[in-house]
Amino acid sequence: MRSVGAGLSEQSAQPEYRIEDLAHHSGATVRTIRAYQDRGLLPRPERRGRSNVYGDAHLARLRQIADLLDRGYTLASIKELLEAWDTGRGLGGVLGLVAEVHGPWTDEEADRISRAELDARFGGTPDEEAIREAVELGVLERLPSREGRGEEYLVPSPQELAVAAELYAAGVPLVAITGHLKELRDQVEHIASRFLEFTTEHVFARYLEHRPPTDADAHEAATMVRRLRPLAQQTVDAELARAMQLLATRHLQLHLSPEPPEERDDQPRPVSLPAGTVRAVQGLVGAEGIEAFIAAATEREVNKRILDALASKQHKDREVD
């Protein structure tokens, strides 16, 4: 038997590989290849005398696995996908859907910045702690050093870095900027999560009812992702603009008013409730949801009474007229 480096097998006229050759051409280790075989991800090799023989199908399968791992799939989900492929259900649509979801969700293009340029944009004084936090947050990504060049970074979102530079120039400390970004990121991730839950329930559930989805359903879902992708950002942009106009106006009025603002008492207060009420609520939402449920129910009742009072007042006014 000869490896692919030496030529083709006379029996099969197809490239054949020893496991070491397969590892070399695929980029996987011998140990990984054997582990994939044990998990059922990779077909067993053909036995020729005392040797195991691998072919191009094994090489293609290893490259498929590597690609799916890069896209964030687990080995368990990869096994499901490959089993679907082996039973005649195409993977083209599924991989297209994966590529659509993993593709860029913005038209913004990443940029490079040198350490000298970075320091200059933020006051000219090196700040190692700020750089470390920016890298942890993904605002900056360290790039391998190149001969004749100093330290360089990839900037995934130049707009985000520009905002930070403007805030710093306006007097906001870097530690406050990074702290605000962490808080904002948590809130935006919650919004993204809710949007995904909403669209999955009302749009994508019909495409994803099979595990894995059929090739046709995956193609349709990928098309739908392309259509809906800009909607989340457009909605958030519109609502943020509305909220900023409303709250900024209130904020300005508050600071321009000659009267000092009223003191607010927002501290929570303990309230005694009958044990039976607490047990009933716990039976509905569990122990961890008691506080939130009672608060929501109370707010709903207060709002209802306010509306009833307003309606009653309007009715009396009409009777007077």
Side-chain angles (χ1 to χ4, degrees), residues 88-110:
R89 292 168 60 188
L91 268 184
V94 173
L95 294 180
L97 176 59
V98 171
E100 199 65 50
V101 171
H102 279 265
W105 286 68
T106 175
D107 295 332
E108 190 177 14
E109 295 184 2

Side-chain angles (χ1 to χ4, degrees), residues 128-198:
E128 297 301 329
E129 180 63 19
I131 293 290
R132 184 189 64 77
E133 284 208 39
V135 170
E136 285 184 0
L137 288 168
V139 177
L140 299 173
E141 296 177 14
R142 298 185 189 275
L143 292 172
S145 58
R146 295 188 291 178
E147 187 176 352
R149 292 179 175 269
E151 196 174 347
E152 284 189 311
Y153 296 88
L154 180 71
V155 185
S157 173
Q159 291 179 3
E160 191 170 54
L161 187 66
V163 169
E166 287 292 336
L167 290 172
Y168 181 81
V172 183
L174 284 174
V175 65
I177 294 173
T178 55
H180 179 69
L181 177 57
K182 291 175 184 177
E183 180 182 352
L184 180 64
R185 184 166 292 180
D186 287 341
Q187 294 168 346
V188 170
E189 285 178 0
H190 174 72
I191 293 171
S193 175
R194 291 293 298 119
F195 188 81
L196 286 172
E197 290 170 5
F198 171 78

Side-chain angles (χ1 to χ4, degrees), residues 50-67:
R50 297 181 179 179
S51 301
N52 288 326
V53 177
Y54 298 85
D56 274 347
H58 294 90
L59 181 59
R61 175 59 56 89
L62 286 171
R63 288 173 175 166
Q64 279 181 330
I65 294 171
D67 180 58

Side-chain angles (χ1 to χ4, degrees), residues 14-35:
Q14 295 292 327
E16 293 182 347
Y17 308 87
R18 298 187 303 268
I19 192 168
E20 294 82 5
D21 299 321
L22 187 64
H24 172 73
H25 286 280
S26 67
T29 65
V30 169
R31 183 177 179 180
T32 297
I33 292 173
R34 288 179 174 144

